[in-house]
Amino acid sequence: MKHTAARTYRAVHWPTRLQERLEEATRRPDRGDISITTVIIWVAAVTGAALIAGTIIVVVTKYNGKLTGL
């Protein structure tokens, strides 16, 4: 029952919160939002990590028979 009440409260009050956030954004346009540079750096880091992990998987799969005796 508590979950339903909480959901109802959030559903009823989300337009008010949205309006408050829009007013805050108008009043303070630079409030520390994430920059495009940060997004680019994170995407590059995640892509690089995925490529490294993929390469390791390919190498381990390719040499799996030879590595079992180690």
Side-chain angles (χ1 to χ4, degrees), residues 3-64:
H3 296 293
T4 304
R7 287 182 184 160
T8 303
Y9 179 83
R10 285 193 301 263
V12 169
H13 289 90
W14 78 266
T16 305
R17 289 194 317 254
L18 178 63
Q19 181 64 32
E20 290 171 357
R21 289 178 182 160
L22 289 173
E23 289 171 1
E24 177 73 15
T26 303
R27 206 172 53 238
R28 292 178 33 204
D30 182 22
R31 35 181 229 286
D33 288 340
I34 192 165
S35 69
I36 191 67
T37 307
T38 305
V39 172
I40 292 170
I41 290 169
W42 273 102
V43 169
V46 170
T47 303
L51 287 173
I52 291 169
T55 303
I56 291 171
I57 290 170
V58 168
V59 169
V60 168
T61 303
K62 183 175 180 179
Y63 295 107
N64 193 23

